[in-house]
């Protein structure tokens, strides 16, 4: 029995018990013994209560421990889900940026491949409405009739009035090859494993109209399940669909504008025929003063100029389409520059400018020649545009130089002291880009680029506030010497030159 008790008077009672035993005092002995028994019983009851409390505490501790373990597991699940959602959000954010960089249907293959790599998918498929997109033949996408797409989505989501995103095992898809392309089910494992996300793409201006279907497939059967949320993927599908619709609408508008421009050019030729014919008839009748004859000549000259401009615009249209058939010949550029200088003589005098021509490092001489292969009328138009732009951009009283140099290529450089505005430098050769001109159309340098590229030449622009602007056209050197003489008859001798301003 331990020496220390919960009841401090037990030791004293034991001493009294010994004294009563020694004194043979039975009454006192029995009394103290009874008290000790009661104390022992009370101590036993207290110990039992303590043991019960300890047992309850242990149970509470175990229950608390289990709750802590469960809470820790739940917290880990929440953290994992949050990290997974954040990672998914970052991936979809990057994917949306990739889609926003799309400028044409031709960008689709690279964008779909980028999405596949970004999300770590086994397959990404894009179906588009054949009735809407067949005319544009978008690469990287398959075409299907809208009715067939609606039927496939209805089979996937029976009873849904307006089917939305669908996440499920691939084995639950009635016709996987419709969504992912022929040969997708060649491996039987595909039918047993993996999961997919399938989302309809709708017109941003008419959500009821189906324009396509975007489908993801992953080998992980737990990646896309009906229990998981699809907000990020659905939002991404919407962004992709809206971008495709915007690009398509822009292409439709461009085609409509081109059709209108083409018809307008064609229709302009009819009244122009009368403008060209009437001066000839009046001259033939005679009885005209010298001044009247000169005025009719000016009228006829302007008519031919307009006809040449219309023909040139039709040529540029063919160049844009890549169907222009170039008929190259050996062309000396110096007579062309003489004609351009004569045409722009008024602009040069009014602004006090100087137009210098430098051939192979020295001022031009009468006997000089600088020949390239091409079509004379197109070369005239290109150089006229570049020189006129340089004269208009040059400060009054300054010098504009046309330098012809021969090295690995035949280079024609047009330089002026003015600088190109910073906002249009990256788009200097783009269509409809202009600055600082009240009546500028933004077609001069664009046409020059098309003509240069049609001739197999390279065109570039360097500009700065200190050095001014230089536009250089580099023609390839002919590999075989031309048999024809450089001094062939020039069409400029019989008809006025064509030109187009930027």
């Amino acid at each position: 029995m331990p020496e220390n008790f919960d009841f401090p008077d037990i030791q004293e009672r034991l001493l009294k018990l010994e004294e009563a035993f020694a004194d043979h005092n039975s009454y006192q002995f029995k009394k103290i013994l009874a008290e000790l028994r009661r104390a022992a019983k009370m101590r036993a009851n207290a110990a039992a209560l303590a043991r019960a409390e300890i047992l309850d505490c242990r149970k509470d501790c175990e229950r608390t421990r289990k709750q802590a373990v469960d809470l820790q597991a739940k917290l880990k699940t929440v953290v994992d889900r949050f990290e997974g959602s954040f990672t998914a959000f970052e991936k979809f954010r990057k994917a949306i940026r990739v889609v926003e960089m799309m400028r044409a249907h031709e960008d689709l293959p690279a964008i779909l491949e980028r999405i596949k790599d970004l999300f770590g998918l086994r397959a990404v498929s894009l179906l588009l409405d054949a009735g809407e997109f067949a005319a544009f033949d978008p690469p990287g996408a398959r075409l299907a009739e809208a009715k067939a797409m609606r039927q496939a989505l209805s089979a996937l989501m029976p009873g849904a009035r307006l089917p939305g995103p669908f996440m499920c095992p691939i084995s639950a898809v009635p016709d996987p090859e419709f969504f992912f392309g022929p040969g997708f089910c060649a491996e039987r494992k595909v039918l047993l494993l993996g999961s997919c996300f399938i989302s309809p793409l709708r017109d941003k201006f008419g959500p009821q109209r189906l324009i396509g279907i975007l489908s993801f497939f992953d080998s992980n059967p737990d990646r896309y399940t009906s229990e998981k949320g699809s907000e990020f993927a659905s939002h991404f599908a919407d962004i992709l669909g809206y971008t495709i619709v915007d690009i398509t609408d822009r292409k439709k508008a461009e085609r409509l504008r081109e059709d209108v421009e083409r018809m307008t050019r064609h229709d302009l030729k009819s009244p122009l025929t009368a403008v060209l014919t009437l001066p000839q008839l009046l001259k033939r009748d005679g009885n005209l003063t010298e001044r009247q004859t000169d005025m009719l000549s000016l009228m006829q000259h302007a008519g031919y100029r307009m006809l040449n401009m219309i023909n040139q615009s039709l040529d540029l249209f063919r160049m844009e389409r890549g169907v222009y058939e170039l008929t190259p010949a050996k062309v000396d550029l110096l007579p062309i520059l003489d004609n351009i200088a004569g045409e722009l003589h008024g602009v040069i005098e009014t602004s006090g400018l100087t137009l210098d021509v430098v051939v192979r490092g020295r001022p031009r001489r009468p006997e000089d020649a600088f020949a390239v292969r091409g079509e004379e009328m197109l070369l005239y138009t290109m150089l006229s545009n570049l020189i006129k732009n340089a004269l208009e951009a040059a400060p009054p009283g300054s010098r504009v130089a046309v330098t012809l140099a021969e090295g690995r290529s035949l280079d024609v450089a047009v330089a002026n002291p003015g600088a190109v505005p910073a906002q249009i430098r990256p788009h200097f050769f783009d269509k409809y880009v202009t600055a600082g001109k009240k009546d500028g159309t933004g077609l001069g340098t664009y046409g020059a680029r098309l003509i240069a590229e049609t001739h197999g030449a390279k065109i570039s622009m360097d500009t700065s506030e200190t050095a001014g602007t230089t536009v250089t056209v580099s023609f390839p050197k002919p590999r075989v010497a031309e048999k024809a003489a450089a001094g062939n008859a020039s069409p400029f001798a019989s008809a006025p030159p064509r030109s187009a301003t930027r």
Side-chain angles (χ1 to χ4, degrees):
M1 190 173 190
E3 294 182 357
N4 297 323
F5 296 95
D6 294 336
F7 303 94
D9 60 342
I10 287 182
Q11 291 290 349
E12 182 180 349
R13 291 177 185 277
L14 286 174
L15 291 175
K16 289 181 178 181
L17 183 62
E18 290 176 357
E19 291 175 358
F21 180 78
D23 295 339
H24 301 286
N25 188 344
S26 59
Y27 173 77
Q28 190 67 20
F29 180 83
K30 290 180 181 179
K31 179 181 177 183
I32 295 172
L33 185 61
E35 290 177 352
L36 285 172
R37 284 175 177 171
R38 283 196 302 273
K41 186 175 181 180
M42 290 175 65
R43 183 182 181 283
N45 290 337
L49 289 173
R51 284 195 298 271
E53 289 179 357
I54 291 173
L55 183 60
D56 291 339
C57 288
R58 287 178 177 176
K59 289 180 179 179
D60 290 341
C61 288
E62 182 66 19
R63 186 165 51 252
T64 303
R65 187 186 68 80
K66 288 182 178 180
Q67 290 176 349
V69 171
D70 292 342
L71 184 60
Q72 186 177 8
K74 291 178 180 178
L75 182 61
K76 184 177 183 303
T77 301
V78 171
V79 172
D80 291 343
R81 286 182 179 177
F82 172 78
E83 291 178 348
S85 298
F86 184 76
T87 303
F89 171 76
E90 282 296 311
K91 288 183 177 179
F92 279 110
R93 187 166 64 89
K94 292 179 181 178
I96 289 173
R97 287 181 178 176
V98 170
V99 170
E100 289 174 344
M101 292 168 57
M102 186 166 62
R103 294 294 178 266
H105 292 137
E106 290 71 23
D107 298 335
L108 272 175
I111 286 189
L112 294 178
E113 191 63 29
R114 179 73 179 117
I115 292 169
K116 180 180 176 182
D117 294 340
L118 191 61
F119 294 148
L121 299 168
R122 182 168 175 177
V124 175
S125 176
L126 178 64
L127 268 175
L128 293 176
D129 179 16
E132 180 73 14
F133 298 97
F136 304 98
D137 192 21
R142 293 180 297 114
L143 299 178
E145 297 297 331
K147 181 178 179 181
M149 290 192 293
R150 285 193 292 268
Q151 289 175 347
L153 290 173
S154 297
L156 198 63
M157 293 169 271
R161 187 180 65 85
L162 194 65
F166 186 73
M167 301 170 68
C168 68
I170 192 65
S171 56
V173 179
D175 186 5
E177 290 193 348
F178 177 83
F179 296 100
F180 293 98
F184 178 74
C185 299
E187 300 179 22
R188 291 189 59 82
K189 290 182 179 179
V190 173
L191 299 176
L192 302 176
L193 301 175
S195 56
C196 63
F197 165 80
I198 298 174
S199 177
L201 304 180
R202 303 192 178 278
D203 190 338
K204 63 186 295 186
F205 302 110
Q208 301 295 327
R209 191 167 71 87
L210 181 69
I211 65 165
I213 299 175
L214 178 66
S215 303
F216 294 164
F217 171 72
D218 191 85
S219 301
N220 181 4
D222 297 324
R223 179 165 186 177
Y224 297 115
T225 61
S226 57
E227 296 82 13
K228 294 183 178 180
S230 62
E231 290 81 5
F232 291 159
S234 300
H235 181 64
F236 171 77
D238 291 339
I239 295 296
L240 177 62
Y242 297 164
T243 304
I244 293 173
V245 168
D246 287 340
I247 291 174
T248 304
D249 288 345
R250 187 177 70 246
K251 281 197 170 184
K252 287 180 180 178
E254 289 175 356
R255 288 191 175 185
L256 178 60
R257 186 187 67 244
E258 289 167 356
D259 290 341
V260 172
E261 288 178 354
R262 190 164 57 253
M263 289 185 292
T264 302
R265 294 186 193 106
H266 180 270
D267 293 342
L268 281 174
K269 288 188 176 182
S270 297
L272 191 56
T273 303
V275 175
L276 294 174
T277 305
L278 185 60
Q280 296 177 356
L281 295 175
L282 292 174
K283 286 181 181 179
R284 188 182 304 168
D285 291 340
N287 299 324
L288 298 174
T289 65
E290 183 179 352
R291 178 173 175 76
Q292 289 172 337
T293 302
D294 291 341
M295 292 176 65
L296 288 175
S297 297
L298 289 174
M299 183 187 301
Q300 193 171 23
H301 179 93
Y304 277 113
R305 181 181 174 86
M306 180 179 290
L307 180 61
N308 288 334
M309 292 176 66
I310 294 172
N311 290 333
Q312 175 217 338
S313 64
L314 291 171
D315 291 341
L316 293 180
F317 176 77
R318 295 188 186 99
M319 292 177 196
E320 285 181 320
R321 292 298 181 190
V323 296
Y324 183 83
E325 295 183 4
L326 186 71
T327 307
K330 191 173 182 180
V331 180
D332 188 358
L333 297 183
L334 292 176
I336 293 179
L337 293 176
D338 290 340
N339 278 276
I340 294 172
E343 181 184 344
L344 299 176
H345 180 71
V347 177
I348 296 173
E349 277 196 346
T350 301
S351 302
L353 300 170
T354 303
L355 179 61
D356 295 336
V357 178
V358 179
V359 182
R360 298 182 179 91
R362 55 178 174 74
R364 183 198 171 181
R365 296 176 181 176
E367 67 274 13
D368 284 338
F370 195 89
V372 299
R373 282 185 58 80
E375 289 188 13
E376 190 169 358
M377 293 301 296
L378 292 180
L379 294 174
Y380 182 94
T381 300
M382 178 185 71
L383 294 174
S384 176
N385 287 338
L386 296 180
I387 293 173
K388 186 173 182 181
N389 281 345
L391 292 171
E392 291 176 346
S398 61
R399 172 179 176 269
V400 174
V402 180
T403 304
L404 291 79
E406 184 174 355
R408 292 186 177 181
S409 58
L410 300 172
D411 298 336
V412 181
V414 181
N416 76 89
V420 176
Q423 67 269 23
I424 69 168
R425 291 177 186 177
H427 312 287
F428 184 74
F429 293 106
D430 291 352
K431 197 172 186 179
Y432 305 126
V433 174
T434 185
K437 293 185 180 181
K438 182 179 179 181
D439 299 320
T441 61
L443 293 175
T445 53
Y446 174 71
R449 177 174 67 84
L450 285 179
I451 295 172
E453 292 174 351
T454 301
H455 283 77
K458 296 181 180 178
I459 188 168
S460 60
M461 183 273 294
D462 293 315
T463 187
S464 68
E465 302 297 335
T466 55
T469 301
T470 302
V471 179
T472 305
V473 183
S474 301
F475 293 89
K477 276 189 170 182
R479 295 184 179 180
V480 180
E482 293 287 334
K483 294 182 180 180
N488 287 339
S490 171
F492 295 103
S494 57
R498 295 184 292 178
S499 68
T501 57
R502 178 173 172 79

